[in-house]
């Protein structure tokens, strides 16, 4: 009777281990999905911001273009057209970011960095460890004790 009880306990323990492992796996998968959905929403928000900014830049560019061409037609001085050169680059960049393939090219470049240039991603002094964080927390606690502010 004692032997079957031990076997039954071991079997229950193993089933509990499997259940806990499965639950942890589900929990991790849900966290990954949640983070991915949050990332997608943030990227969509950034694209929407770029498009909104493009509308404002476009309005500014068209106003500047109209003003520059009008001034050039009346004064015949090419100096009025000079501001259009940098403005054209700015509006082209913003249009590419908002509606073109700029975002795709950025993703491709980031994938290249992740695959072939990992050394660029290293943190100074490496990834913080739990012990380093605890040590810093204790140092901060000690500093607070040493530098008590007296309020009266």
């Amino acid at each position: 009777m004692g032997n079957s009880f031990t076997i039954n306990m071991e079997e229950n323990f193993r089933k509990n281990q499997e259940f806990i492992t499965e639950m942890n796996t589900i929990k991790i998968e849900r966290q990954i999905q949640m983070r991915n959905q949050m990332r997608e929403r943030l990227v969509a928000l950034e694209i929407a911001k770029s498009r909104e900014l493009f509308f404002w830049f476009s309005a500014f560019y068209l106003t500047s273009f109209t003003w520059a061409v009008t001034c050039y037609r009346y004064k015949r001085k090419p100096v009025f057209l000079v501001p259009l050169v940098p403005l054209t680059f700015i509006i082209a960049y913003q249009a590419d970011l908002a509606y073109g393939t700029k975002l795709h090219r950025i993703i491709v470049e980031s994938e290249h960095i992740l695959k072939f240039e990992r050394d660029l991603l290293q943190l100074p002094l490496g990834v913080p460890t739990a012990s380093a964080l605890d040590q810093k927390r204790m140092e901060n606690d000690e500093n607070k004790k040493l530098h008590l502010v007296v309020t009266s």
Side-chain angles (χ1 to χ4, degrees):
M1 180 163 148
N3 195 15
S4 68
F5 178 73
T6 318
I7 292 172
N8 197 15
M9 278 186 55
E10 288 175 4
E11 187 176 319
N12 285 342
F13 180 75
R14 186 181 51 76
K15 286 181 181 179
N16 280 342
Q17 289 284 106
E18 290 172 3
F19 177 75
I20 290 171
T21 303
E22 184 178 339
M23 293 309 294
N24 283 335
T25 303
I26 291 170
K27 181 180 174 183
I28 290 170
E29 288 173 355
R30 289 187 76 210
Q31 286 177 350
I32 291 170
Q33 284 298 320
M34 182 191 64
R35 287 179 187 226
N36 188 50
Q37 286 183 15
M38 291 302 295
R39 182 196 59 80
E40 287 175 348
R41 290 174 185 184
L42 290 172
V43 169
L45 185 65
E46 289 300 318
I47 292 170
K49 281 181 177 179
S50 295
R51 289 180 179 179
E52 178 66 19
L53 188 59
F54 173 70
F55 290 136
W56 284 93
F57 278 160
S58 297
F60 176 73
Y61 182 75
L62 290 175
T63 304
S64 300
F65 182 82
T66 304
W67 176 83
V69 170
T70 302
C71 288
Y72 176 74
R73 290 178 80 189
Y74 287 119
K75 305 283 185 177
R76 292 288 178 203
K77 293 183 180 178
V79 73
F80 290 111
L81 299 176
V82 172
L84 293 179
V85 175
L87 288 177
T88 302
F89 280 99
I90 291 170
I91 198 73
Y93 177 87
Q94 196 63 34
D96 190 23
L97 182 62
Y99 293 101
T101 60
K102 179 100 179 126
L103 195 56
H104 177 68
R105 292 191 313 270
I106 290 171
I107 290 170
V108 168
E109 183 62 24
S110 66
E111 288 173 353
H112 174 79
I113 291 169
L114 286 169
K115 287 181 183 175
F116 303 110
E117 301 179 46
R118 299 275 316 167
D119 57 320
L120 297 176
L121 305 175
Q122 299 300 317
L123 290 172
L125 302 175
V127 178
T129 62
S131 62
L133 295 173
D134 288 340
Q135 183 179 4
K136 185 64 177 175
R137 184 181 50 79
M138 288 189 294
E139 287 175 10
N140 287 341
D141 289 346
E142 284 295 317
N143 285 337
K144 285 179 185 176
K145 289 177 185 175
L146 292 176
H147 304 302
L148 288 177
V149 177
V150 180
T151 57
S152 37

